[in-house]
Amino acid sequence: MTPNTRRILTALLLSACATGAAAEEAIRPEQAVRFAGQSGMVCGKVEKTRYAQNSEGSPTFLHMGGAFPRHTFSARIPQDQRDKFRPSPEELEGRDVCVVGSIQRDAGRAEIAVRSPSDVKLATIK
């Protein structure tokens, strides 16, 4: 990806992922762990989704920053929010999204616990 293409993509992600009246600065999944303990907006491609039905709380994970299990970031969607997503979490696989929330560290990776579908924004090209 050329630097110019990267700038254009970043601008599109920022415009698509605005929260409130102003856009936050986008954090790449590979850099998210550096922001642990802070609120932020992590933007990137959903490499893989995983519905962990047999795990405590039956969460759904959106893995970004590499393929599972070598990903660098996950958005964790609780079971009670899963059916509220349009498109569904599985339909986000392969698409660019921005996730807003408190960035936490989990097993050396970064994670945001999604509270509602409004925390996940689909990046669209206008």
Side-chain angles (χ1 to χ4, degrees):
M1 184 181 299
T2 67
N4 195 35
T5 303
R6 188 173 292 122
R7 279 190 290 263
I8 292 169
L9 180 59
T10 299
L12 288 171
L13 285 171
L14 285 172
S15 66
C17 298
T19 57
E24 295 179 47
E25 187 169 330
I27 300 167
R28 293 194 328 251
E30 300 80 18
Q31 297 176 327
V33 75
R34 296 180 196 165
F35 295 87
Q38 300 177 39
S39 291
M41 178 175 65
V42 179
C43 297
K45 180 180 176 182
V46 177
E47 301 287 343
K48 183 76 176 163
T49 60
R50 185 171 66 93
Y51 180 28
Q53 288 176 273
N54 297 323
S55 294
E56 184 180 335
S58 300
T60 299
F61 294 94
L62 306 179
H63 297 301
M64 299 164 64
F68 177 83
R70 300 201 190 301
H71 60 288
T72 58
F73 174 80
S74 293
R76 182 173 32 90
I77 301 168
Q79 171 66 31
D80 68 341
Q81 295 297 310
R82 181 179 158 73
D83 292 336
K84 297 176 183 178
F85 275 78
R86 299 290 178 264
S88 72
E90 287 76 15
E91 291 174 302
L92 296 174
E93 192 168 308
R95 299 179 79 175
D96 289 322
V97 301
C98 292
V99 183
V100 178
S102 177
I103 301 168
Q104 300 302 316
R105 197 177 189 103
D106 181 51
R109 297 180 178 97
E111 178 179 278
I112 290 179
V114 175
R115 295 173 310 208
S116 75
S118 65
D119 291 345
V120 178
K121 310 286 186 193
L122 185 60
T124 56
I125 299 174
K126 296 180 180 184

